[in-house]
Amino acid sequence: MNDAGDVKRFVIPGEEGYSDFWRRDKSPIESVELVKLLVAIRKLSTFIGRNVGEIVWSGMERDNALALDPTPIMGTYPVPAGKTDLMVGIMVQEAYKRVEWSERLHEMLRLRVQPPTQYEYKFDMFFSVCESVYVDGLANKSVLGYYAEVARDWRITKTLKSLIKPPTLSEMLHLWWRLAAHRDPELYKNGHSDLTLGGLVMRGSLDQYYSKPMQTMNSIVPALREDCPALPSVSDRCDLRLDLYEQLWREVLGHIRFWPGDRSDRFMMPDMGEDEELAREEAEQAAVKATIVNYANLIEAALPQKNRDYTDQIKGNVANFENVARVEGNDIVMLARNRVDRQLLHKLEQVVRNATDRRSVFNRGLSSGKIHSRRLYRAHTTGAVFQQKKHEFDMRKNVVLLVDATGSMADPTHWDQAEMIYQTLFTAILEYTSNARLFAYNEVRNACRITEIYRGGRMLTVLPHGRTASGEAIIATALKTRIPGKKTLLVHITDGASNWGCGVADAIKYCKGNDVSLLTLGVSCSLSAKQSLRDEYGSLVKFVDKTEQLPKLFGELIISEMRESRAQQQ
């Protein structure tokens, strides 16, 4: 509840989950909720790698897309946080398999091992679980490991609910998966000790069956969790896993040769008949797929467009096109804390007001105010013989703020000061031009990402990270925000010179040729950074050493820009 006593959030017992801390955009309408959840999952997938590809629900027709089966989350809307965690975990596991070329590795291993027909089912099961241990280990290196754990527990429990009399390869592999992929990297060393899973009891001791093969399986765990992820290229990682799996398969096969894989292993369980539970699951999946097919057009129409790539456009507008860094849009943001300095805001509003155009607006035919002589004839009828005169202030320009959020800003002191400056300055500008826009740029996965950090009346933020591609960021922001026939005022806030990409010279040239007035504020700059910025921007840069200097320095930049504009017009 808030201070006024209004209920802001409802806690539903039994539906807690990690995603409850960040997922706020939900809907009780099935088709809308599926869209919103898919958008959230796509955003999270960007933290895994570029090769994940597009993510869709099963039933949506997309070539080469990663299709997720929504069956586990269907039925309750908004989707509870616990089920959201599950779907995120499934995405994490499947996305890592794409990034690490699991499908290709499977075919390579099959060609090398060439399992006999009666062992093909066991071979596929063996490879699947080994790769699951590997990708869960990758997820464990970040917060994504918590979501992978939810998916792992769900998969294991689901598989082991319908066990047949041991020993089975499926049970042994899933027992091993739970230990080998645990977030505690030492847990697997304790070995198997009569674990009873899937809610089953009175199964007798499983040690007599599973201890030795699980010890054999444990031999590859250190390599999967530490050695393989340390290799620099995906092909090297595939080669290492290929050798590990080939040797392990030949060793494990001696232990499990006469075991059934599970109840679906037709070579070892030929008389089982059709599994009713399996048939029921297939029917449920078919029903869900039919639902998604019906919703496909609605979902496609509601999904936001893919983040725009500006790289080719920038290359076409610079001379140093060979060194242009990849630039793309981004919509992954966090809510920002309110850092507006009210005293500084009042001073900045006066500075911005001095740079606006003033026009008088009259409101006539009022019942009170200043007498309007031309309306006196109404005195005996309506009495509406008054008027009010107001002055409106408008910058008459397309105003944009661009904030450097690269690695040099990662120091908490620097970033706190930068947030206070850009939030306060932007709030002052909004008083006189409601269409002003605010952007930040940083580097994520070898790309300069441009993010709008003021939307829907809320201040947002990103994590400062990476190299500084100021030239590309300036040009991309100008391209993204330009309004034909209207001049743009682009205020760039940074703490240092560009150290990546095409450089600033091309960006300044582009701005001058496209009605963009570029002004730069240097904050938290060292002496060497100041000199580098002077070399790059010349008279277009001012340095804010103390926040109380900001109104005066920003005013000087605005005045110099106005003089330059008038000179160009003459």
Side-chain angles (χ1 to χ4, degrees), residues 293-433:
V293 169
N294 291 334
Y295 284 150
N297 292 334
L298 291 174
I299 293 174
E300 294 285 358
L303 283 172
Q305 297 299 313
K306 191 175 181 180
N307 291 336
R308 183 175 176 183
D309 192 311
Y310 297 92
T311 310
D312 291 338
Q313 279 185 283
I314 293 174
K315 286 182 177 180
N317 286 282
V318 300
N320 187 18
F321 63 88
E322 293 180 350
N323 293 324
V324 169
R326 186 163 57 89
V327 187
E328 57 188 32
N330 175 58
D331 59 359
I332 300 175
V333 293
M334 301 175 293
L335 285 174
R337 290 172 290 179
N338 183 7
R339 296 194 178 277
V340 175
D341 186 315
R342 291 297 167 184
Q343 185 175 0
L344 182 62
L345 175 63
H346 178 70
K347 296 178 181 178
L348 282 171
E349 285 176 343
Q350 297 299 318
V351 172
V352 176
R353 180 171 174 169
N354 292 335
T356 60
D357 296 325
R358 188 180 77 170
R359 63 191 180 95
S360 298
V361 178
F362 292 91
N363 192 3
R364 299 182 175 89
L366 304 177
S367 58
S368 64
K370 184 178 180 180
I371 291 178
H372 184 208
S373 58
R374 295 183 181 181
R375 304 276 175 168
L376 287 175
Y377 69 90
R378 293 183 176 180
H380 299 292
T381 55
T382 64
V385 296
F386 300 96
Q387 69 175 3
Q388 286 183 347
K389 181 181 180 181
K390 294 192 302 180
H391 297 299
E392 290 188 351
F393 299 89
D394 191 352
M395 293 194 74
R396 301 281 182 94
K397 290 179 182 177
N398 179 32
V399 184
V400 182
L401 261 64
L402 176 64
V403 182
D404 177 353
T406 55
S408 57
M409 283 284 197
D411 182 276
T413 303
H414 289 185
W415 187 239
D416 286 349
Q417 184 185 22
E419 281 192 312
M420 186 274 292
I421 288 174
Y422 79 69
Q423 286 189 20
T424 306
L425 179 57
F426 187 73
T427 302
I429 291 172
L430 278 177
E431 284 292 315
Y432 301 101
T433 173

Side-chain angles (χ1 to χ4, degrees), residues 39-206:
V39 169
I41 289 173
R42 286 181 174 182
K43 289 180 179 180
L44 289 174
S45 72
T46 61
F47 292 99
I48 296 176
R50 291 182 57 198
N51 297 329
V52 173
E54 191 171 16
I55 298 176
V56 298
W57 296 126
S58 298
M60 296 172 61
E61 297 298 331
R62 290 291 181 87
D63 294 334
N64 301 317
L66 175 56
L68 299 178
D69 179 11
T71 304
I73 62 165
M74 300 286 280
T76 303
Y77 310 101
V79 175
K83 289 188 176 181
T84 299
D85 290 353
L86 170 60
M87 192 52 60
V88 171
I90 293 173
M91 178 278 293
V92 168
Q93 292 174 326
E94 298 305 315
Y96 269 121
K97 288 178 182 179
R98 279 212 163 194
V99 171
E100 296 296 320
W101 298 356
S102 290
E103 186 175 349
R104 177 181 176 184
L105 180 63
H106 183 219
E107 295 305 316
M108 293 169 63
L109 184 61
R110 178 184 289 274
L111 290 174
R112 183 182 290 191
V113 172
Q114 295 185 354
T117 304
Q118 65 269 29
Y119 298 137
E120 285 184 352
Y121 186 80
K122 294 188 182 72
F123 170 80
D124 292 340
M125 186 182 298
F126 163 85
F127 177 85
S128 176
V129 173
C130 287
E131 276 294 272
S132 295
V133 170
Y134 173 63
V135 299
D136 283 1
L138 295 177
N140 286 338
K141 297 182 181 298
S142 69
V143 70
L144 298 177
Y146 290 92
Y147 297 96
E149 181 181 42
V150 173
R152 179 170 64 252
D153 289 344
W154 177 79
R155 290 182 193 267
I156 292 174
T157 302
K158 180 182 176 183
T159 300
L160 299 179
K161 273 184 177 179
S162 56
L163 294 174
I164 59 177
K165 184 177 179 180
T168 64
L169 178 60
S170 176
E171 186 172 18
M172 187 274 289
L173 288 174
H174 285 79
L175 290 170
W176 175 71
W177 183 11
R178 174 166 285 175
L179 294 172
H182 198 275
R183 285 185 292 111
D184 179 358
E186 304 296 320
L187 184 64
Y188 78 97
K189 294 181 179 179
N190 297 334
H192 167 68
S193 181
D194 193 17
L195 300 177
T196 302
L197 300 178
L200 299 180
V201 294
M202 302 300 291
R203 294 177 53 80
S205 174
L206 303 180

Side-chain angles (χ1 to χ4, degrees), residues 154 202 211 244 266 568:
W154 177 79
M202 302 300 291
S211 291
L244 288 173
R266 297 311 179 205
Q568 291 177 354

